Amino acid sequence: MRRFVIVGQNAMTSGDFVLDDVPGTSGRMDVLVRCIRAAMLVSHGIRSDTVVYLVLLGAPNPPRTIRIDGSLARFIRPDERNLAALVQKVLSRDSAREASEGYVEHRRGISIARGGIDMVLDEVVGARAFVLDAGGKDVRDVEKLSEQDIDAVFFVGDHLGWDDPTRAALLGAGVAAISVGPIVLHAEDAVTLVCNELDRREARAPAAPTT
Amino acid sequence: MRRFVIVGQNAMTSGDFVLDDVPGTSGRMDVLVRCIRAAMLVSHGIRSDTVVYLVLLGAPNPPRTIRIDGSLARFIRPDERNLAALVQKVLSRDSAREASEGYVEHRRGISIARGGIDMVLDEVVGARAFVLDAGGKDVRDVEKLSEQDIDAVFFVGDHLGWDDPTRAALLGAGVAAISVGPIVLHAEDAVTLVCNELDRREARAPAAPTT
């Protein structure tokens, strides 16, 4: 299982943004939804081994986290407007139930909870955890990104990168910093590059020994 | 110089599509504009060494080709709607002038011409040329992608991949097939992966010998 946790520092926690101007009205939800596509979609299909979390820290009601589970979700479209409309619908639910019930399902495979980074860190305990950060170790040189029985989780910042408290919290939780190359890229490109590295390693992983 | 040539088999050659439904009304211009972002934009900047061509082969007036030159263009936004609106404006120009004048500038660094793959192939003569194709050689194993004095050009198909005549035309012109990994990805992810491979090689290229 692969998990990508995309953290939107200003990303709105209500559905009160305008689909005709997502970058200007949503706290840059456009960045986050592009990461959904990069993490979950391949040519003509969904990655069933992938879960994406959008951790939303903007006004008016932070934190809230949307979770999309590729093993269950269907009809995830690649284009930004459709993805933003999906997020808007999920956010427009009454958030009162989330506080008492944890994740509340919006539709099969897509749910929302009241909580942020700390909640997600609790949820992925035991996974091999990484944070995408320009100063981190090159992903191609990281010896073990995932293994057959160990999940990997990748924390990805938005266009603002990481604020110091969040970076400290992640590193304090033992999350290793990795980078994807010599140039600082958009969040969605970093996700694409991590997925490709995982794809390559899984493709060449030896079958389990039979003796 | 890096050039990316994105070929939209059904991509509209007029501006008569609806920004509220780009995937459903434009011949999948959404795929092409996502490739613009992937090829040209990095965190808080434009790649000045990159030129993107959108080769549009759909109704009503094919072929037309939009060229975006990163060394000249400014204010390229990352989100799909803004990019689609830009393309729409360029396509809404009177196409009569293109036939007589070649590339017609829409605004600084962004121009349009009447022509398709063959026109672009003529324009990039001398460049090292590659076509992204699932059966091609792994980009990580290609010895020379570009060199200090030799441009590279990458032909990228849309969600439909390559029709047989186009693939034959490219291979007939000596364009080498390369692939980006074990899983067939969206066009924009392939662009991201090629850019990253180029970034890495340029970062570790030795300085020219001084003796």
Side-chain angles (χ1 to χ4, degrees), chain A residues 36-50:
Chain A
I36 298 175
R37 188 206 60 75
M40 308 212 69
L41 301 186
V42 294
S43 188
H44 309 292
I46 296 182
R47 292 182 184 271
S48 60
D49 62 345
T50 297

Side-chain angles (χ1 to χ4, degrees), chain B residues 23-182:
Chain B
T25 63
S26 68
R28 296 306 304 276
M29 197 70 78
D30 60 308
V31 176
L32 278 73
V33 302
R34 289 199 292 273
C35 290
I36 298 175
R37 188 207 60 75
M40 308 213 68
L41 301 185
V42 294
S43 187
H44 309 291
I46 296 182
R47 291 182 183 270
S48 61
D49 61 346
T50 298
V51 179
V52 171
Y53 300 78
L54 303 187
V55 175
L56 313 175
L57 303 179
N61 200 12
R64 294 175 86 185
T65 294
I66 295 174
R67 184 176 65 186
I68 306 176
D69 183 338
S71 71
L72 300 171
R74 293 292 173 273
F75 310 112
I76 304 288
R77 300 281 300 274
D79 66 294
E80 259 174 65
R81 188 182 175 95
N82 267 293
L83 289 168
L86 171 62
V87 165
Q88 188 174 52
K89 271 185 218 158
V90 178
L91 286 172
S92 298
R93 298 182 63 90
D94 174 17
S95 64
R97 274 182 62 203
E98 296 161 25
S100 56
E101 299 182 22
Y103 281 98
V104 176
E105 193 164 68
H106 168 74
R107 70 175 212 223
R108 188 173 155 81
I110 301 175
S111 50
I112 183 165
R114 170 151 305 285
I117 287 270
D118 294 337
M119 180 189 73
V120 177
L121 277 170
D122 283 347
E123 192 172 337
V124 301
V125 164
R128 215 176 278 279
F130 303 93
V131 52
L132 274 287
D133 201 23
K137 185 172 185 177
D138 188 338
V139 65
R140 292 195 189 179
D141 297 331
V142 175
E143 275 192 28
K144 293 180 179 177
L145 281 176
S146 64
E147 286 176 284
Q148 204 166 6
D149 299 320
I150 300 179
D151 290 354
V153 56
F154 301 89
F155 291 86
V156 183
D158 63 3
H159 64 297
L160 300 174
W162 297 108
D163 62 292
D164 289 338
T166 304
R167 185 190 279 111
L170 289 170
L171 298 179
V175 178
I178 60 172
S179 65
V180 291

Side-chain angles (χ1 to χ4, degrees), chain A residues 138 140 189 192 197 200, chain B residues 138 140 180 189 192 197 200:
Chain A
D138 188 338
R140 291 195 189 179
D189 290 327
T192 293
E197 186 64 26
R200 289 168 170 276
Chain B
D138 188 338
R140 292 195 189 179
V180 291
D189 291 327
T192 294
E197 185 64 25
R200 289 169 169 274

